[in-house]
Amino acid sequence: MIRPFLGIPLLALALPAIAQGFQPTAQLDAAVAQFTGVGVGQVGGAQMPVDPRLKLARCAMPQFGWLSDRKDAVVVSCMAPAWKIYVPVRRAVPVAPSAPAAAVIAAAPVKAEPVIRRGDPIMVEAGARGFSITRDGVAMGDAPAGGRLMVKVDPAKPPIQAVAIEAGRAALPGFAG
């Protein structure tokens, strides 16, 4: 009779420890704001608060650092227990000078005309000083000069990748000349 009675107080003592086992995300938000020097949602600060649904093990000393020199995200990590999260930082959006619509249209990239078309018979080359090797194949797609395409050289094997040189000629990547 005494054993069940003792088990209930022990369970009651364990529940607060279980409930306190997760790192409060509000504390992480405050620490990130202190690290960046700017509040959540402001330029230079966290884009948004850390998701409160995130269940991270409690950490005595979280560590903070920048993900890169661009300072576009803060890395928050814990050594024991081991976890790491990335907090994106709000960046100022550069305002481009206004340009006439005609200039914007003229600056649009022009798609290069393919020199090799799907189904074309082509010769795939590879070589260096002192040797060269060629293989006949069939283009599996279109490609402009300098563009990559897949070439079927053997019906029993998967296609290979090649770089288009001119009509009917391609080279293995690294051997394009």
Side-chain angles (χ1 to χ4, degrees):
M1 211 66 163
I2 296 174
R3 286 188 186 152
F5 182 73
L6 289 177
I8 293 173
L10 291 177
L11 182 61
L13 290 173
L15 284 177
I18 292 170
Q20 294 176 2
F22 298 116
Q23 182 72 33
T25 57
Q27 284 181 350
L28 293 177
D29 291 331
V32 168
Q34 184 177 8
F35 177 78
T36 61
V38 183
V40 174
Q42 297 175 349
V43 174
Q47 286 183 4
M48 62 185 68
V50 175
D51 190 343
R53 297 173 294 179
L54 196 58
K55 302 297 181 204
L56 299 168
R58 187 173 289 279
C59 183
M61 284 189 62
Q63 298 161 345
F64 301 85
W66 292 109
L67 179 62
S68 69
D69 292 336
R70 295 184 339 204
K71 296 185 177 182
D72 54 357
V74 175
V75 179
V76 183
S77 59
C78 184
M79 297 298 279
W83 54 259
K84 183 184 296 187
I85 63 171
Y86 301 90
V87 180
V89 171
R90 182 175 297 272
R91 305 205 45 185
V93 178
V95 179
S98 61
V104 173
I105 292 171
V110 177
K111 188 174 179 182
E113 190 66 29
V115 294
I116 297 177
R117 297 210 177 263
R118 181 181 179 157
D120 285 352
I122 60 172
M123 181 174 55
V124 180
E125 310 171 346
R129 201 163 138 172
F131 87 95
S132 72
I133 186 169
T134 60
R135 183 83 192 253
D136 291 329
V138 177
M140 297 185 69
D142 298 348
R148 292 187 181 228
L149 73 150
M150 299 303 287
V151 179
K152 190 72 167 174
V153 292
D154 186 347
K157 295 185 179 175
I160 62 170
Q161 190 178 79
V163 178
I165 298 172
E166 61 185 27
R169 244 180 95 212
L172 291 179
F175 294 98

